[in-house]
Amino acid sequence: MSLTLTVDGDRWRSHLRGVAEAHPGLVPVVKGNGYGFTPGRLARKSQWLGVDTIAVGTYEELPEVASRFDGSLLVLTPWRPFVADLAPELAGRVIHTVGRVEDVDALLTRQPGARLVLELLTSMKRHGFAARGLWDAADHLRRHRSARLEGVALHLPLAQGSHLGEVRRLMNDAVGAGLQQPGQGGLDTVWVSHLTATELTALRTSYADFTVRPRMGTDLWLGDRAALAVTATVLDVHEVERGDSFGYRGRTVPKAGHLLVVSGGTAHGIGLEAPTGGSSIKARAATLARGGLDAVGFVRSPFSIDDKQRLFAEPPHMQASMLFLPSGARVPTVGDEIDVRVRYTATTFDRIVLS
Ligand SMILES: *Cc1c(COP(=O)(O)O)cnc(C)c1O
């Protein structure tokens, strides 16, 4: 009775191992909904993989992973003065990301022995220091002798051509800012995202003194889609005639067929898909002429039966969805499982079955 993620365990685990072996220093990212798997499960898998550090998105996510993974915990959202102090048992495990000069001083005043990485502003323009700010940050670090600088972090946009030029410029800024602090860990690590294997190799070659630590979520956890299957359960089937009314809004059925009630709704992250057949007036007129159901307002759903994507009879409900199956199509029976295409990062499953 559920929206289920079924994982081919052997295949998934061998993919995870392969990625970890190909990327020394890998930092699994376990934020958000845990890419569909939940952060807790990914924390345990990271422990199994044997990595020494994982990354969460927010401070609020720390408790769920801290008890399932015993290494270091990098928080990707930059620290701000309004972040609550860490529980003492976490303080030594957490690596803060810092992106503003004033926050270096504020954090180290509150937690003098804090572990931190300095984020550099990339072409993403999300968070981080520009070159000038790094000089000031280095100044602050010199004044807080027990601070533990764990490196610099770059959050790069998804690849549009090579990132290497930008990475080199930023690395030169960081080296030039005099962040090298004897006895304080120094600047010997760069944490990066979204670099290709070739770019990572080039970076390691150019900056041989540095440890390059790739943060990876999607390509790690979701990199082998064939290991994953998402299904919904058929909960009810109703034969309908043209003109029968149904649903929350009392719509009428445009032609004979079946209404299916299937598990999976807005609470799972199931949403409306783009209308079928293009949205131009001409395209809509063409579908109308063909008697297309989208022309009467039915919208494509992510559920498919017999490899054909089916239409929502009305927008998804909270935990279930109503589909319309025109007559002629094979009608599944209650209890059957049907395929669902989802965005894993936006989906909450009722059940995760890991073989
Ligand atoms: C989410 C995130 C990642 C991982 O991104 P994926 O595309 O899922 O691999 C890496 N770095 C930062 C800063 C992030 O916020």
Side-chain angles (χ1 to χ4, degrees), residues 34-204:
Y35 295 81
F37 300 92
T38 76
R41 179 179 272 99
L42 297 188
R44 278 199 303 271
K45 269 289 166 273
S46 302
Q47 184 82 36
W48 168 84
L49 266 179
V51 298
D52 65 5
T53 307
I54 61 176
V56 295
T58 65
Y59 284 89
E60 287 76 7
E61 290 170 335
L62 287 169
E64 187 183 347
V65 303
S67 55
R68 295 173 170 92
F69 173 81
D70 63 16
S72 298
L73 306 165
L74 171 69
V75 182
L76 297 172
T77 302
W79 185 86
R80 294 284 186 253
F82 46 78
V83 169
D85 288 344
L86 295 171
E89 66 275 15
L90 273 184
R93 293 174 60 196
V94 169
I95 303 173
H96 303 276
T97 297
V98 178
R100 302 187 305 172
V101 175
E102 58 267 49
D103 293 339
V104 177
D105 195 42
L107 170 65
L108 294 173
T109 302
R110 292 249 295 272
Q111 190 191 341
R115 303 168 66 188
L116 69 159
V117 298
L118 300 181
E119 178 160 3
L120 310 187
L121 190 68
T122 67
S123 53
M124 281 264 295
K125 293 276 191 294
R126 197 155 85 168
H127 302 295
F129 289 95
R132 275 258 305 284
L134 278 180
W135 286 80
D136 297 335
D139 251 8
H140 281 298
L141 282 170
R142 274 189 284 275
R143 270 182 263 125
H144 292 275
R145 304 296 305 184
S146 51
R148 291 165 63 191
L149 179 63
E150 303 264 359
V152 290
L154 313 179
H155 189 35
L156 295 156
L158 296 168
Q160 294 155 338
S162 173
H163 291 109
L164 281 177
E166 176 169 17
V167 172
R168 291 218 168 88
R169 183 175 57 73
L170 292 165
M171 289 292 287
N172 292 342
D173 288 347
V175 172
L179 289 163
Q180 226 77 33
Q181 316 271 329
Q184 271 184 307
L187 179 62
D188 56 8
T189 303
V190 54
W191 309 69
V192 294
S193 62
H194 302 141
L195 292 182
T196 62
T198 318
E199 289 173 327
L200 284 168
T201 306
L203 190 60
R204 289 194 168 103

Side-chain angles (χ1 to χ4, degrees), residues 196-272:
T196 62
T198 318
E199 289 173 327
L200 284 168
T201 306
L203 190 60
R204 289 194 168 103
T205 310
S206 310
Y207 297 90
D209 304 346
F210 278 78
T211 304
V212 177
R213 305 219 52 178
R215 297 174 306 234
M216 209 182 283
T218 307
D219 288 349
L220 175 64
W221 307 117
L222 300 173
D224 184 1
R225 295 296 166 102
L228 313 174
V230 180
T231 51
T233 314
V234 176
L235 302 175
D236 226 329
V237 181
H238 307 289
E239 190 172 1
V240 286
E241 295 300 329
R242 179 190 169 137
D244 285 355
S245 76
F246 71 94
Y248 278 127
R249 291 165 187 80
R251 290 176 98 171
T252 52
V253 177
K255 56 185 188 181
H258 288 81
L259 289 172
L260 302 189
V261 184
V262 300
S263 55
T266 54
H268 301 92
I270 298 288
L272 296 175

